[in-house]
Amino acid sequence: SEEVALAISVVAFFTIIFTFLQPYLAIAAGMPDEVAGAWIGGSVDQTGNVIVSAAIISEEATEVAAIVKMVLNAGLGVMASVIACYWSMCHASEGEKSPKFSFVMLWDKFPKFTLGFIITSVILTGIVKERDGTLESEALPRAVSTLNKWWFAIAFCGIGLTTDLKKLFREAWKSGVIQVYLVANTLDIFLALGLSYLAYFVMV
């Protein structure tokens, strides 16, 4: 729908900015690589952008960022399903009864792409582990990563084909999408930064 395309376009636009802004802020602040990686992994949207952003700092930051982002991705499906079901049950249209919870509703609201993420991760982990030390174990993750980048590129080109930038920012600003995103993302950035320092300097 147009509303979904609007939200995705706003997130994609600002994600590009934060992808390059955050690593250079971390470098300027003298942030330890592992803390910077955890911060980026916890606050930059989209896995591909996380890897690109952390790679600006170092290989160690990239590894930490990837792990943090994978953990967040694994929990994304559950959280999205809970929020979607709650919203559907508590915010019914005027004149309509609020639907009762059911597994059919849960399946309908569940983001199916997370199943693909989990299944693919399990399969690739098993294959790479069995062929550890071989050329195949090194080539397979790179091949999958390349496919991932192409699919992301195709998906966002598709969104771009239906996006009018002037209309996008006019409607996004009027509807409050940009303001909500900036407030939520600012909270996310500071929360991730605090948790990153807490994890590496207080809890260890």
Side-chain angles (χ1 to χ4, degrees):
S1 66
E2 286 187 16
E3 291 82 3
V4 173
L6 179 71
I8 292 173
S9 298
V10 169
V11 171
F13 176 80
F14 283 105
T15 296
I16 293 169
I17 296 172
F18 288 115
T19 295
F20 296 98
L21 179 62
Q22 286 185 229
Y24 287 114
L25 282 176
I27 293 169
M31 199 179 293
D33 288 1
E34 62 271 18
V35 174
W39 179 45
I40 289 169
S43 58
V44 173
D45 294 312
Q46 303 168 21
T47 307
N49 291 77
V50 166
I51 302 302
V52 169
S53 184
I56 294 172
I57 300 172
S58 70
E59 189 175 333
E60 183 182 5
T62 306
E63 290 179 4
V64 173
I67 292 168
V68 171
K69 193 62 179 176
M70 292 296 181
V71 172
L72 290 176
N73 285 343
L76 179 64
V78 176
M79 184 177 292
S81 299
V82 170
I83 293 172
C85 287
Y86 171 79
W87 191 265
S88 297
M89 292 167 65
C90 298
H91 297 80
S93 301
E94 237 179 89
E96 291 184 5
K97 289 185 178 180
S98 297
K100 293 182 179 180
F101 173 81
S102 68
F103 286 105
V104 174
M105 176 194 283
L106 180 63
W107 177 250
D108 181 55
K109 302 297 180 185
F110 186 80
K112 314 296 188 299
F113 73 90
T114 56
L115 292 177
F117 167 78
I118 294 169
I119 293 168
T120 305
S121 297
V122 170
I123 292 172
L124 286 177
T125 301
I127 293 172
V128 171
K129 190 174 181 181
E130 283 183 7
R131 297 179 175 274
D132 193 26
T134 64
L135 290 175
E136 289 90 341
S137 68
E138 295 178 10
L140 188 58
R142 292 180 185 177
V144 172
S145 177
T146 301
L147 284 173
N148 174 54
K149 291 172 185 175
W150 276 106
W151 286 337
F152 262 113
I154 292 168
F156 281 99
C157 281
I159 294 168
L161 288 172
T162 59
T163 302
D164 180 334
L165 287 178
K166 285 185 180 179
K167 183 181 177 184
L168 166 69
F169 282 98
R170 186 172 61 248
E171 291 186 0
W173 185 264
K174 189 187 294 185
S175 65
V177 171
I178 291 178
Q179 296 91 317
V180 169
Y181 172 80
L182 290 175
V183 170
N185 203 59
T186 300
L187 290 172
D188 182 34
I189 285 171
F190 283 106
L191 180 61
L193 181 61
L195 289 173
S196 299
Y197 271 105
L198 184 69
Y200 280 94
F201 291 106
V202 178
M203 297 175 68
V204 175

